[in-house]
Amino acid sequence: MSKKLVKSTSVVMSMTGISRVFGFIRDMVTAHLFGAGASFDAFAVAFKIPNFMRRLFAEGSFSQAFVPVLAEYQKQKSHEEVRRFISAMSGSLAAALLLVTLLGVFGAPWIIRVFAPGFETEGPRFDLAVTMLRITFPYLMLISLTAFSGAILNTYSRFWVAAFTPVFLNISMITAAIWFSPRFTTPIIALAWGVFAAGVIQLLFQWPFLRQMKFLVRPHINFRDPGVRRVLKLMVPALFGVSVGQVNLLIDTLFASLLAIGSVSWLYYSDRLMEFPLGVFGIAIATVILPNLSRHHATDSSESFSLTLDWALRAVLLIGLPAAVGLAVISGPLLSTLFQYGKFSGEDVLMAQQSLIAFALGITPFMLVKILSSGFYARQDIRTPVKIGVVAMVANMILNLILIWPLAHAGIALATSLSAILNTTCLFFFLRRWEIYQPREGWHLFLLRLMIANMTLAAWLWFAAGDVSEWISQGALWRAGHLVFLLVTAGLVYFGMLWLSGIRIRHLMMPAMESGQA
């Protein structure tokens, strides 16, 4: 079981890594073709709103409520009872999503006014955002049903399918940008249609795997089904729980719309770089441990529950801390190498660098929120992370108001990171206070080793990267070659220091944890 957990995490990380690589290619293409101007500001908002709602409802509150209930059905019910539950859940979910989608399409102007009030002062940017939101909003329904299918597959340990699915979004948007945008009077609108097409493709991709498991059932609307009622009861208050980070990012967009043109785009591209380690490692680990934690809770295995959390926390810190160091220290070289082409200028690199450094502070806390929240949701405790999430969201809004004036868009990013730190601290406090999580031995030595390795990594990257102005002035081949050199040597330095300090692979495996080794 423990080796299977590590293997499943590796599979999800690999598939998510492939998706993120295609995501970088997508962002490089869009940066080259559209830059960081008014039209991309409009698309960023039109894409972020349904994407935000997808993460909030489908991957946030819904998944965190649905997976524990499904895991319990898996352990305690027959296959036919599970099929009936999935049928009722899929029909009820689809009906609710259809209503929300219709409201979103017809109410697009009011939604843009709420989430990007600064756009209304400039007619073209506002009108363009409304047009694209009407195209992208149905993506919410399609991708939410995809997330529902993925949650079933994950619960039954078919992790790679759901993790690979986002590749199709990136391929669809790349295709739309390169081949279809020149055929549009307003080229950026092709990206919106690419998002819509991706929603259809991703949903269809998962259906054969559900059919293979005999879970591709006819949807049946039944809000009175006991399982559906339990999911809804858990889901409603969870909207501000584990997805509070997404709420904060949308609040960031609201404030950024009030700043100079390009601010939304600078935040978008810096956020995309932050999403790489968050998606590949943080979300991947959380995706794998939630069904396992749910099963441990269902069988009253409190020791296994705590050990699983402990392993996940160590794994996140092992990767999250160097990711934060790397993105902060070589933020300029990364942005220049990946995006400084075509309409994305050197000035855009410098502006996005400011927000990326601020976001880097919150990378590890964002990852930890995913893990720590799973510790509550697996126990079907929704209220605690909800209360903490609301506090963190209010703190983010207050910090935005304080930091936006001296730091502009970078202040928005910094506020998001600080609120994530607050969220993480509170979640950890209550897990420890209620003795849900009991750290195993060896944490002090583990943290000391991590500190030494990360300080060495930061020193090397600062020395080797040089001044960002040189990166901006050089050509693409020079930048690409030097970035590869930085990344390869960074990996050697970091993992070499971990090895010299005494950390071995066996220390990070579940069998070592169960035997109590440090």
Side-chain angles (χ1 to χ4, degrees), residues 88 92 221-230 232:
S92 304
I221 302 175
N222 184 5
F223 287 99
R224 294 185 177 181
D225 179 89
V228 173
R229 293 179 67 179
R230 283 181 59 197
L232 291 177

Side-chain angles (χ1 to χ4, degrees), residues 36-164:
S39 64
F40 197 83
D41 278 1
F43 170 76
V45 170
F47 181 43
K48 184 169 285 188
I49 290 172
N51 209 34
F52 149 78
M53 296 186 72
R54 180 260 300 182
R55 291 179 176 179
L56 182 64
F57 291 96
E59 294 177 359
S61 59
F62 175 76
S63 289
Q64 300 294 359
F66 174 64
V67 170
V69 175
L70 181 61
E72 190 173 299
Y73 266 69
Q74 180 193 17
K75 281 287 185 183
Q76 302 175 2
K77 307 286 185 180
S78 67
H79 186 80
E80 187 57 37
E81 288 176 303
V82 176
R83 280 172 53 88
R84 285 198 294 269
F85 169 51
I86 291 175
S87 173
M89 193 73 254
S90 61
S92 304
L93 178 64
L97 288 170
L98 179 60
L99 177 60
V100 172
T101 299
L102 292 173
L103 291 174
V105 170
F106 288 108
W110 293 274
I111 295 174
I112 295 296
R113 288 188 180 100
V114 170
F115 291 111
F119 282 14
E120 196 167 11
T121 59
E122 299 174 24
R125 193 163 57 151
F126 176 80
D127 295 338
L128 187 57
V130 170
T131 298
M132 288 192 286
L133 181 60
R134 283 177 167 153
I135 299 170
T136 60
F137 210 93
Y139 177 74
L140 167 64
M141 177 176 180
L142 295 166
I143 200 61
S144 296
L145 292 174
T146 301
F148 168 72
S149 301
I152 299 172
L153 294 166
N154 287 340
T155 303
Y156 284 82
S157 299
R158 306 292 204 280
F159 292 104
W160 79 268
V161 181
F164 184 78

Side-chain angles (χ1 to χ4, degrees), residues 282 285-286 289 293 309 312-313 316 367-375:
I285 294 172
I289 68 166
L293 290 173
L309 269 180
L313 292 174
V316 162
M367 291 185 182
L368 291 173
V369 165
K370 298 292 183 183
I371 303 302
L372 298 172
S373 295
S374 296

Side-chain angles (χ1 to χ4, degrees), residues 325 329 453-465 493:
V325 169
V329 178
N454 281 282
M455 289 177 64
T456 306
L457 173 65
W460 165 249
L461 288 176
W462 180 83
F463 170 78
V493 168

Side-chain angles (χ1 to χ4, degrees), residues 17-329:
I18 294 172
S19 173
R20 297 295 171 168
V21 169
F22 275 95
F24 277 139
I25 297 172
R26 176 192 99 193
D27 292 333
M28 292 169 68
V29 170
T30 57
H32 176 77
L33 294 176
F34 306 110
S39 64
F40 197 83
D41 278 1
F43 170 76
V45 170
F47 181 43
K48 184 169 285 188
I49 290 172
N51 209 34
F52 149 78
M53 296 186 72
R54 180 260 300 182
R55 291 179 176 179
L56 182 64
F57 291 96
E59 294 177 359
S61 59
F62 175 76
S63 289
Q64 300 294 359
F66 174 64
V67 170
V69 175
L70 181 61
E72 190 173 299
Y73 266 69
Q74 180 193 17
K75 281 287 185 183
Q76 302 175 2
K77 307 286 185 180
S78 67
H79 186 80
E80 187 57 37
E81 288 176 303
V82 176
R83 280 172 53 88
R84 285 198 294 269
F85 169 51
I86 291 175
S87 173
M89 193 73 254
S90 61
S92 304
L93 178 64
L97 288 170
L98 179 60
L99 177 60
V100 172
T101 299
L102 292 173
L103 291 174
V105 170
F106 288 108
W110 293 274
I111 295 174
I112 295 296
R113 288 188 180 100
V114 170
F115 291 111
F119 282 14
E120 196 167 11
T121 59
E122 299 174 24
R125 193 163 57 151
F126 176 80
D127 295 338
L128 187 57
V130 170
T131 298
M132 288 192 286
L133 181 60
R134 283 177 167 153
I135 299 170
T136 60
F137 210 93
Y139 177 74
L140 167 64
M141 177 176 180
L142 295 166
I143 200 61
S144 296
L145 292 174
T146 301
F148 168 72
S149 301
I152 299 172
L153 294 166
N154 287 340
T155 303
Y156 284 82
S157 299
R158 306 292 204 280
F159 292 104
W160 79 268
V161 181
F164 184 78
T165 299
V167 170
F168 296 105
L169 169 65
N170 298 317
I171 293 175
S172 179
M173 291 181 66
I174 292 168
T175 303
I178 295 176
W179 281 283
F180 293 105
S181 65
R183 295 171 171 80
F184 281 74
T185 305
T186 306
I188 194 78
I189 292 179
L191 277 184
W193 283 111
V195 171
F196 177 85
V200 177
I201 295 168
Q202 290 177 104
L203 180 59
L204 293 178
F205 171 71
Q206 293 190 352
W207 280 1
F209 299 97
L210 289 179
R211 182 186 296 275
Q212 187 181 45
M213 299 165 59
K214 298 183 180 180
F215 285 140
L216 189 61
V217 296
R218 184 183 299 275
H220 177 64
I221 302 175
N222 184 5
F223 287 99
R224 294 185 177 181
D225 179 89
V228 173
R229 293 179 67 179
R230 283 181 59 197
V231 171
L232 291 177
K233 183 179 179 180
L234 293 170
M235 178 183 171
V236 173
L239 293 178
F240 294 100
V242 74
S243 298
V244 69
Q246 299 306 318
V247 177
N248 286 338
L249 289 175
L250 200 61
I251 292 172
D252 294 348
T253 301
L254 185 154
F255 281 100
S257 74
L258 303 172
L259 299 174
I261 290 177
S263 297
V264 174
S265 300
W266 299 328
L267 284 168
Y268 172 86
Y269 284 110
S270 54
D271 174 55
R272 289 292 297 161
L273 279 175
M274 182 189 71
E275 286 284 335
F276 183 82
L278 178 61
V280 172
F281 303 108
I283 295 176
I285 294 172
T287 298
V288 172
I289 68 166
L290 179 59
N292 284 277
L293 290 173
S294 300
R295 284 190 285 268
H296 290 322
H297 178 66
T299 56
D300 292 323
S301 303
S302 58
E303 183 179 357
S304 297
F305 189 100
S306 182
L307 284 171
T308 302
L309 269 180
D310 193 280
W311 171 80
L313 292 174
R314 291 189 184 226
V316 162
L317 290 176
L318 189 73
I319 301 299
L321 290 175
V325 169
L327 287 184
V329 178

